[in-house]
Amino acid sequence: MSTTEKPAASNDGTGVFSPGRARISAKTLRVDNWWVQPTITFIILLSFVIYSTWRAFANADYFSMPYLSPFYSPCLADSCPPGSQDFGSWIGSWYAWSPALIILIFPLGFRMTCYYYRKAYYRSFWMSPPACAVAEPHKKYSGETKFPLILENVHRYFFYAALVFNVVLTWDAIASFRNPQGEWGHAGLGTLFLVGNATLLWLYSLSCHSCRHAVGGRLKHFSNHPVRYKWWTMVSKLNTRHMLFAWLSLFGVAFTDFYIYLVASGAITDPRFF
Amino acid sequence: MAYDASFRVWRGNTNGGELTNYKVSVNEGEVVLDIIHRLQQTQTPDLAVRWNCKAGKCGSCSAEVNGKPALLCMTRMNTFTEDETVTVTPLRTFPVIKDLVTDVSFNYQKAREIPSFTPPEGLKPGEYRMQQVDVERSQEFRKCIECFLCQDVCHVIRDHEDNKPAFSGPRFFIRQAELDMHPLDTASRKRDAQEKHGIGLCNITKCCTEVCPEHIKITDNAIIPMKERVADAKYDPLRWLGAKIRGRQPGDVE
């Protein structure tokens, strides 16, 4: 026994409605909750953007000896509080705005051009496409062939910059094994945040697709480069979890900064372990 | 446990068509292709469907089930509830011929546009001993059964018919990656990938990987490495400078 459903309405003749294709009125026939994942991604990323913008412009409550917020590290301006300038103050006094406004260019550039985050924001913010086999709303599409999206190709340079920042943040984690008087051999709850943050950032950076390419992916003859092949194999294993590390490190940075904000603003007192 | 399932199957051709509702019996262990065959045998002998191996290895029975690109022979009926209506349509990226059969010649045209394996001139059989580590990356791509589900789901051409001349699609990016990663291949594939096959149009949203029935990591292991190789050849000033100093072409690798 059969019955038929006529197409409900005409369409614009593009995409899945292009001439010659099966005439089906629905833009998608998916019946699962395909919109949930891009919605969650949108909410989380937008929350991070709002939070980081607020903290970057705040220019306050980012240092409480021995903890320096990752949003403000390395703090290189004269305006940085005493004790936070472990790498000097060679930017000097001419720079009067928040140090985070310069610093965040690099880690945000790394994440904006990251192959995983590209998938995340193309789907959730630009809906290009919102989900697989769900028609996107745009009439024209040029992908990453034109300005500004062709700049995604500089991802490797942001990766190199991220390595430098990872070294700095690793130092910050080591430096957090001090007490508020600057004496070594102490630790508090903030130390755990900073060590966890640095660890997650290293995992995120080393699992990067550009890292995988640089250490050996560009080679044709692995057998001629056994050491680089070994590196490539290790990075490839990390690379399968790049999405996981991308999210964990994002949360890690945000929570570390928020913890230091709470301590620096006096809202809480940092519990000391030893 | 046998039951009567509700099916909606697209029936039509280039002149038009519609989703047609059927009630058809389902037995334990069956796949969607079994149900389509039962429809042919019992209710609609003129229903057109392309199929061959019924084992997920020939890539013939590609279609869309509940809006998702899938092989009919690999979509098990026990993934649906008994009261669920199962919608089966042809691939929505390619021109329809009849019912569930589409014209996928776009893909064969794109295949012809990729230069075949190009070993060094004068290299004779037996003169090169291949190491396993040199070919294992490419072996993943050889699993492709050319079902073209990745091509079907790719929004670059699914949602933009006008991109078809400029874009080859995920299946052919893994072909180019396979050849470019081959130790003996000498063809210039990096610039071709960008300039002739449109890899820059890909925004790596990974739908191709999600639908691949062979579980090939198309995006992570083929498209992104090719994008990085394209960046070597076209967008990296330090690589360009290094190549100039060493008298090579940007993107040449050891």
Side-chain angles (χ1 to χ4, degrees):
Chain A
M1 188 187 78
S2 71
T3 57
T4 59
E5 293 174 23
K6 294 285 184 189
S10 61
N11 42 57
D12 58 2
T14 60
V16 288
F17 307 125
S18 298
R21 302 195 196 182
R23 289 187 197 169
I24 300 168
S25 58
K27 282 191 168 184
T28 183
L29 291 167
R30 283 184 64 165
V31 293
D32 57 333
N33 295 324
W34 56 263
W35 48 271
V36 170
Q37 192 170 8
T39 304
I40 293 171
T41 305
F42 177 83
I43 291 169
I44 295 175
L45 287 182
L46 184 64
S47 303
F48 182 80
V49 168
I50 292 170
Y51 174 78
S52 58
T53 303
W54 165 57
R55 286 292 290 147
F57 280 94
N59 198 16
D61 302 325
Y62 58 82
F63 179 70
S64 175
M65 186 68 189
Y67 307 136
L68 175 61
S69 162
F71 284 12
Y72 286 81
S73 182
C75 212
L76 301 173
D78 279 357
S79 59
C80 297
S84 67
Q85 298 161 314
D86 287 349
F87 295 91
S89 59
W90 45 268
I91 285 185
S93 59
W94 65 269
Y95 183 78
W97 298 298
S98 167
L101 296 178
I102 292 181
I103 291 164
L104 287 181
I105 290 171
F106 299 97
L108 286 182
F110 184 45
R111 287 182 191 266
M112 287 288 286
T113 58
C114 163
Y115 285 100
Y116 167 67
Y117 281 111
R118 276 145 80 174
K119 170 197 165 187
Y121 63 72
Y122 283 140
R123 283 196 186 192
S124 59
F125 281 77
W126 196 240
M127 293 191 289
S128 180
C132 301
V134 177
E136 61 175 280
H138 312 289
K139 289 200 183 306
K140 285 286 179 185
Y141 173 84
S142 58
E144 298 179 341
T145 60
K146 294 178 180 173
F147 183 84
L149 294 181
I150 199 168
L151 294 178
E152 304 279 24
N153 287 298
V154 303
H155 181 53
R156 57 187 58 186
Y157 285 98
F158 281 115
F159 163 67
Y160 303 143
L163 293 182
V164 175
F165 276 81
N166 286 354
V167 171
V168 170
L169 294 175
T170 301
W171 166 253
D172 288 345
I174 294 169
S176 70
F177 284 91
R178 295 181 291 181
N179 63 13
Q181 290 72 45
E183 295 160 342
W184 288 92
H186 302 275
L189 184 57
T191 309
L192 294 183
F193 273 99
L194 285 166
V195 170
N197 178 50
T199 305
L200 289 172
L201 286 172
W202 275 113
L203 287 170
Y204 172 55
S205 303
L206 293 177
S207 63
C208 160
H209 292 84
S210 285
C211 175
R212 189 184 184 211
H213 179 72
V215 298
R218 62 163 55 100
L219 298 174
K220 275 177 178 263
H221 291 78
F222 277 151
S223 57
N224 289 351
H225 302 84
V227 174
R228 291 183 69 182
Y229 173 63
K230 186 74 178 170
W231 291 350
W232 178 83
T233 305
M234 290 190 290
V235 172
S236 294
K237 285 177 183 167
L238 286 176
N239 180 254
T240 61
R241 293 175 175 81
H242 192 50
M243 179 181 78
L244 175 69
F245 296 140
W247 284 116
L248 291 179
S249 61
L250 189 78
F251 290 130
V253 167
F255 286 131
T256 302
D257 174 78
F258 187 62
Y259 181 80
I260 293 170
Y261 162 73
L262 292 177
V263 173
S265 64
I268 62 171
T269 304
D270 179 48
R272 306 298 302 176
F273 301 142
F274 52 88
Chain B
M1 182 76 73
Y3 70 99
D4 284 340
S6 298
F7 262 67
R8 282 198 308 170
V9 182
W10 193 85
R11 304 298 309 277
N13 53 35
T14 51
N15 297 320
E18 63 254 328
L19 289 165
T20 305
N21 294 311
Y22 298 97
K23 280 283 186 185
V24 56
S25 62
V26 174
N27 300 310
E28 191 168 351
E30 288 186 323
V31 294
V32 172
L33 185 58
D34 292 320
I35 313 308
I36 296 296
H37 282 160
R38 184 162 298 122
L39 274 176
Q40 279 184 324
Q41 292 155 7
T42 60
Q43 301 181 47
T44 62
D46 62 337
L47 172 61
V49 59
R50 187 184 279 134
W51 67 282
N52 195 349
C53 75
K54 289 187 73 176
K57 288 298 169 192
C58 74
S60 300
C61 63
S62 301
E64 298 190 11
V65 181
N66 282 353
K68 290 183 185 174
L71 294 180
L72 297 178
C73 72
M74 298 300 286
T75 307
R76 301 185 71 87
M77 284 304 299
N78 65 8
T79 59
F80 308 107
T81 59
E82 293 189 8
D83 58 353
E84 187 174 352
T85 299
V86 180
T87 303
V88 185
T89 69
L91 302 176
R92 296 185 69 183
T93 298
F94 305 115
V96 69
I97 296 174
K98 185 176 186 302
D99 300 338
L100 301 179
V101 178
T102 47
D103 174 4
V104 292
S105 56
F106 163 83
N107 301 290
Y108 300 117
Q109 176 61 38
K110 293 297 178 184
R112 280 192 289 273
E113 292 171 6
I114 297 177
S116 57
F117 173 58
T118 311
E121 278 189 29
L123 187 75
K124 295 185 174 57
E127 288 186 350
Y128 187 85
R129 288 284 177 268
M130 198 73 76
Q131 302 290 315
Q132 176 60 27
V133 295
D134 290 326
V135 292
E136 62 192 2
R137 266 190 301 181
S138 304
Q139 285 174 336
E140 178 188 11
F141 309 141
R142 300 293 292 185
K143 293 193 299 181
C144 176
I145 60 174
E146 298 212 308
C147 60
F148 303 129
L149 292 179
C150 58
Q151 303 284 89
D152 177 57
V153 81
C154 180
H155 74 110
V156 178
I157 48 177
R158 183 183 179 93
D159 295 336
H160 304 279
E161 181 77 16
D162 54 323
N163 280 333
K164 279 185 175 174
F167 186 72
S168 293
R171 191 276 167 265
F172 299 103
F173 296 139
I174 69 171
R175 174 66 177 153
Q176 288 170 309
E178 175 197 335
L179 291 166
D180 203 55
M181 291 172 184
H182 194 291
L184 290 183
D185 188 68
T186 59
S188 167
R189 302 192 186 276
K190 300 172 185 67
R191 287 181 174 274
D192 281 4
Q194 179 84 345
E195 294 163 6
K196 296 181 181 173
H197 300 282
I199 200 170
L201 286 165
C202 169
N203 66 346
I204 48 172
T205 43
K206 285 198 171 183
C207 290
C208 49
T209 303
E210 286 187 22
V211 301
C212 179
E214 284 294 314
H215 308 295
I216 301 169
K217 303 294 184 196
I218 299 172
T219 320
D220 286 320
N221 289 349
I223 295 180
I224 293 174
M226 278 308 289
K227 275 181 169 267
E228 285 291 307
R229 286 166 184 241
V230 169
D232 278 349
K234 292 193 63 157
Y235 302 116
D236 187 335
L238 287 181
R239 296 288 300 173
W240 176 85
L241 185 63
K244 282 288 177 195
I245 291 169
R246 290 190 289 178
R248 291 179 175 175
Q249 287 293 315
D252 279 357
V253 290
E254 306 92 281

